[in-house]
Amino acid sequence: MGESGTKNNDFCFIILEQAGHSKAIIGSFSAHATTIGAENMEISGDYPGYWQRNMESTSADIAIFCAGSIGSQSPAGTGEQFDKAKYIGESLADSVNSHLGTVDLNDKPVISFISTNIELPDYHIRLTPKINLSTFWSKRLMHQPENVFIQAIRIDDMVWISIPGDFSGEYALQIKNSLLAEGFKSNVTSFNGSYAGYIVPGRYFYMGGYEPGLMGWFGPDMVNI
């Protein structure tokens, strides 16, 4: 993680436009909305809020932001607090606006959808790097996630995948490269419905720290890609 890992830093977006009427843009970026910091107790949309407002004031009637594959990925930009959030959000909006003219809209897109329920492995909650809390006690201290789904929608050559947890940017990059080899663009978003903690590469599981240690609930082998 951090400087040792690869980064999924593409901004992905979908345009939906009624002929002669409203335009909506759905955007997704793979960095936690944590630029302002825990010491600020004001309610804020962080950098996604600045992105949304900028898009709706320049090129869209409705702009919706989705968290991408944010596991192990933090925002980087200049400034502090709200200045940093503004810089990132408006920079992303400027980038999207610069690409809008290159997008060809299709009034008869090919659309398909899949939704599959997944069975989670036993809890693998760690007390120390070498000691795990037993599954018996884990299930009594923490509610086992239910109705855990992975879903995907295909729109022409775009595949948009949604994951029930904080999904690793490195895993998402592998998925994107695999689908690109088959002729598809793709994006992976986090926080779909239920929540299964952080889903990061197993090689990071014993590093400790917040993401793999405290929030890696289901062990190093939860995902094999």
Side-chain angles (χ1 to χ4, degrees):
M1 297 188 300
E3 295 303 321
S4 65
T6 55
K7 299 178 179 65
N8 178 24
N9 56 7
D10 293 331
F11 190 99
C12 299
F13 63 92
I14 296 173
I15 301 173
L16 305 171
E17 185 172 359
Q18 295 175 308
H21 295 284
S22 300
K23 177 191 291 185
I25 296 179
I26 303 172
S28 176
F29 190 57
S30 295
H32 279 286
T34 54
T35 61
I36 296 174
E39 67 277 6
N40 190 308
M41 300 303 292
E42 296 182 59
I43 296 174
S44 166
D46 207 279
Y47 79 82
Y50 283 100
W51 174 85
Q52 178 192 26
R53 288 190 290 273
N54 189 289
M55 294 304 301
E56 291 182 352
S57 66
T58 57
S59 54
D61 297 287
I62 299 174
I64 300 172
F65 183 90
C66 298
S69 51
I70 60 176
S72 306
Q73 300 211 151
S74 298
T78 62
E80 300 291 337
Q81 298 282 326
F82 286 100
D83 288 337
K84 184 176 181 180
K86 185 175 187 290
Y87 173 84
I88 296 173
E90 294 188 350
S91 295
L92 291 172
D94 290 343
S95 179
V96 173
N97 281 324
S98 70
H99 286 85
L100 289 181
T102 67
V103 177
D104 294 323
L105 299 180
N106 183 1
D107 60 359
K108 295 181 180 179
V110 175
I111 298 176
S112 57
F113 177 83
I114 186 172
S115 178
T116 181
N117 185 264
I118 61 173
E119 183 176 346
L120 294 172
D122 287 337
Y123 272 128
H124 201 104
I125 297 174
R126 293 161 54 203
L127 299 177
T128 72
K130 295 183 179 180
I131 300 175
N132 300 327
L133 189 65
S134 71
T135 299
F136 176 85
W137 286 110
S138 294
K139 288 183 176 180
R140 279 152 180 78
L141 293 174
M142 280 182 58
H143 178 68
Q144 182 84 7
E146 298 176 349
N147 298 319
V148 182
F149 287 87
I150 294 178
Q151 297 174 315
I153 184 170
R154 174 193 170 187
I155 306 174
D156 286 338
D157 64 349
M158 160 64 84
V159 179
W160 193 289
I161 304 167
S162 58
I163 304 293
D166 283 86
F167 196 71
S168 163
E170 292 191 49
Y171 273 152
L173 197 58
Q174 294 178 50
I175 292 172
K176 289 171 68 173
N177 290 337
S178 296
L179 286 172
L180 187 62
E182 300 297 326
F184 292 96
K185 302 171 185 176
S186 63
N187 183 51
V188 181
T189 62
S190 300
F191 309 132
N192 175 38
S194 187
Y195 186 72
Y198 274 76
I199 305 171
V200 299
R203 63 182 179 275
Y204 297 141
F205 186 71
Y206 295 100
M207 289 179 61
Y210 173 75
E211 294 188 3
L214 182 63
M215 300 298 293
W217 297 339
F218 297 99
D221 300 320
M222 181 178 178
V223 177
N224 290 306
I225 297 178

